[in-house]
Amino acid sequence: MSQNAASPTLDDMFRRIVAREPGLMALIDPADKMRITGQAPQRLTYAEADRAIAALAAHFTAAGLPVNAVIAVQMPNCIELFLTILAAHRAGLVVALLPQLWRQAELTMALNRTGARAIVTTSRIDGVNHADLAMAAAAEAFSIRYVAGFGSNLPEGMAPLDDVMAAPPIIETAARQDSRRAAIVTFDVTAQGFRPIPRTHLHMAAGGLVLALESRLPQRATLLSAMAPTSFAGLASSLVAWLLSGGTLALHHPFDIEVLERQINELGCDALSIPAGLAMRLSEAGVLAGAPRLQSVLAHWRTPEQVFSSPQWGEASAALTDVYLFGEAGLLAARRPDNGAPLPIKLGVHGVPREAASSSTAGETLLTSNGTLGLRGPMVPIAAYAPDAPSRMDIDSAPPDYVDTGYAARTDRATGALCITAPPPGIITVGGYRFLSQDLLEWAKRLGHGALLTALPDKLSGYRLAGRAADNSKAREALSELGLNPLMVEAFRDSSSQADERQATLTVH
């Protein structure tokens, strides 16, 4: 077990469940995994998952990756991602989560910024050759010494992991991760630009506890997550909530509504973790009303200023918990009462669960002198947002007292409720991705005179990118050659229903 037994690592939590209930179903792949990666979907018990994790951890150690090295991971919402994260922790590594839509420019920046020693990916995701992307980005990152992947037809020089995972471990690898040291790195965009956000196991556990306790996630629950686990909230509401519940984590690769509805019903899901816009859409369509066991829905608001303008929740059997996301800085959670209206949040210390007579501190909100929302508490990596943090990966230096989220906020004079009024200026949130508006303008300028790239409101993802150029097809080709995120590329779409449908799919990842 870890050196700090009083505060378990994520792998410690997993192995405690293995010791208690090895035959319990642990992980279930998306039903349409064959479409996503070309591989058949799997179901693993805790004992089977533990054997795969041990084999991968031993392989990482044998490959020469030193303890506390950063291993970057770009994978879809499938079983292999969660096995890789836990295996990396068992080998004493720090996992940097790379969003699926990132292409070479962003991948290279992230690898260089974190000093990653390795990158793990899948041969293809939704028809895109991610193995080649990883190899190209690794070639531009001086620190990379090891590249590996799952799936078939991997390029030369990339270590295949499917056979490794299926074989007995080469050596026994002890869990050497200290729960107080960095475990997960996600990435954020603030007014100061792109920055890595390292978090400890304790940070991660704190975020997962807030979500599990506030939503009343039952023990041994079957939790279906449709959140891409490349953000703090996405991982806390899937991996960490699953480990805290000790139940089954079922995965949905965003988004196929028919597949999602089938999974909810056939798996008998107790809880669902999805973007808020999709939760409202499913409720309006009556998809959730017929779910036989669904008790709880975690609705993630990437645009928290929109919570109080949302419709009332009408599902009698499944309670909705609003999850307010403030980039990678932290989150707040509030379970809606029986009337289905959002629960007001007030400044100060927040306990969890809120209605309990005695509760643990989930965090604290405050108003800064700039009229913005500040966060502090056990899940908030304050040092990562210090002014000099973008140039380092050290989370142990003396930090300021709180993180300024940049969200404009005020209190209601009559009720004292906290009102979030606007997102951070100069930052555009599209689904799970954040961009500096200045960067969008700079990329548009590269396309010539008259080109424009901007954000428009979108019901499902908050905002979507829209572009205009003299020749949209040539603009898409140019942006693709520059290695940019498809959200930018597809912004210059043709005026056709097919292109619009493609844009909607991209924006909600």
Side-chain angles (χ1 to χ4, degrees):
M1 304 297 279
S2 72
Q3 297 173 356
N4 187 19
S7 301
T9 67
L10 300 180
D11 184 48
D12 288 339
M13 294 164 64
F14 172 80
R15 298 210 288 180
R16 289 177 182 180
I17 307 170
V18 174
R20 189 170 65 244
E21 296 190 88
L24 182 67
M25 190 60 63
L27 292 164
I28 300 176
D29 257 328
D32 56 348
K33 185 180 180 181
M34 181 62 72
R35 176 190 63 80
I36 301 160
T37 68
Q39 295 174 292
Q42 302 181 72
R43 296 187 179 207
L44 298 180
T45 65
Y46 277 93
E48 291 168 338
D50 186 54
R51 285 193 291 271
I53 290 166
L56 288 171
H59 176 78
F60 293 151
T61 300
L65 297 177
V67 173
N68 293 324
V70 174
I71 179 170
V73 178
Q74 187 184 44
M75 297 174 66
N77 195 27
C78 297
I79 281 178
E80 289 85 353
L81 171 60
F82 295 87
L83 297 176
T84 300
I85 292 172
L86 292 172
H89 287 162
R90 191 169 295 187
L93 305 175
V94 180
V95 180
L97 297 170
L98 307 175
Q100 182 187 315
L101 291 189
W102 278 9
R103 296 301 184 250
Q104 189 171 339
E106 292 158 310
L107 291 177
T108 301
M109 185 191 312
L111 296 177
N112 285 322
R113 190 67 64 86
T114 59
R117 297 288 293 271
I119 182 169
V120 175
T121 189
T122 299
S123 57
R124 67 180 180 88
I125 308 173
D126 285 331
V128 176
N129 191 326
H130 279 258
D132 284 349
L133 281 174
M135 293 294 285
E140 296 186 25
F142 180 76
S143 60
I144 294 291
R145 294 292 179 268
Y146 170 84
V147 184
F150 294 92
S152 58
N153 300 318
L154 297 175
E156 185 177 353
M158 178 171 282
L161 293 179
D162 290 292
D163 291 341
V164 169
M165 189 171 63
I170 312 167
I171 56 175
E172 182 63 28
T173 305
R176 295 171 287 177
Q177 190 94 350
D178 187 330
S179 62
R180 299 163 296 182
R181 301 294 296 175
I184 296 290
V185 181
T186 56
F187 299 89
D188 203 355
V189 172
T190 69
Q192 289 73 41
F194 176 90
R195 65 173 70 205
I197 308 297
R199 268 189 169 85
T200 67
H201 292 270
L202 297 178
H203 286 132
M204 296 303 304
L209 276 169
V210 167
L211 297 175
L213 293 176
E214 183 64 20
S215 66
R216 303 177 195 170
L217 183 67
Q219 285 297 294
R220 294 172 59 98
T222 296
L223 168 64
L224 176 59
S225 175
M227 294 294 297
T230 53
S231 66
F232 165 59
L235 206 60
S237 64
S238 56
L239 174 68
V240 185
W242 162 55
L243 295 176
L244 290 169
S245 169
T248 302
L249 177 62
L251 304 170
H252 176 84
H253 183 73
F255 291 107
D256 185 313
I257 300 298
E258 292 182 1
V259 172
L260 181 61
E261 181 178 3
R262 189 165 68 247
Q263 286 182 283
I264 293 171
N265 294 320
E266 292 180 356
L267 297 176
C269 294
D270 301 291
L272 180 61
S273 178
I274 53 176
L278 182 59
M280 298 301 174
R281 180 174 166 183
L282 292 176
S283 179
E284 290 172 3
V287 170
L288 303 181
R293 287 177 42 186
L294 190 64
Q295 303 174 40
S296 180
V297 176
L298 285 163
H300 296 251
W301 293 91
R302 297 182 177 117
T303 50
E305 67 275 12
Q306 297 179 3
V307 174
F308 277 88
S309 61
S310 66
Q312 288 190 333
W313 183 248
E315 302 296 334
S317 59
L320 183 80
T321 298
D322 292 307
V323 183
Y324 297 70
L325 307 183
F326 301 100
E328 292 299 296
L331 56 83
L332 297 173
R335 181 183 168 102
R336 294 196 182 189
D338 292 340
N339 64 9
L343 186 68
I345 291 177
K346 297 188 177 181
L347 290 177
V349 175
H350 291 254
V352 60
R354 292 176 180 273
E355 71 280 2
S358 175
S359 59
S360 301
T361 298
E364 183 178 358
T365 56
L366 57 106
L367 286 180
T368 72
S369 57
N370 298 322
T372 54
L373 179 70
L375 291 179
R376 56 188 166 204
M379 78 176 77
V380 182
I382 295 175
Y385 286 87
D388 61 339
S391 63
R392 57 181 172 78
M393 285 287 293
D394 178 18
I395 63 172
D396 294 326
S397 59
D401 188 45
Y402 62 89
V403 170
D404 186 345
T405 66
Y407 284 84
R410 61 177 177 81
T411 55
D412 186 278
R413 292 184 179 181
T415 64
L418 176 66
C419 302
I420 301 164
T421 56
I427 296 176
I428 297 169
T429 300
V430 181
Y433 299 83
R434 306 225 297 182
F435 303 91
L436 285 175
S437 55
Q438 177 181 342
D439 289 348
L440 297 184
L441 293 175
E442 290 299 319
W443 288 115
K445 287 180 181 178
R446 296 196 179 199
L447 301 177
H449 179 71
L452 175 68
L453 185 58
T454 189
L456 300 175
D458 184 89
K459 289 183 179 180
L460 196 56
S461 59
Y463 293 90
R464 61 180 175 85
L465 294 182
R468 183 185 65 196
D471 188 322
N472 281 347
S473 63
K474 288 184 178 180
R476 291 196 299 271
E477 291 175 5
L479 292 174
S480 295
E481 289 176 0
L482 289 168
L484 294 187
N485 192 306
L487 290 173
M488 293 189 188
V489 176
E490 292 297 324
F492 294 88
R493 63 195 184 281
D494 298 322
S495 299
S496 68
S497 59
Q498 184 177 4
D500 289 344
E501 183 178 348
R502 171 65 176 159
Q503 176 69 10
T505 301
L506 285 168
T507 57
V508 298
H509 271 74

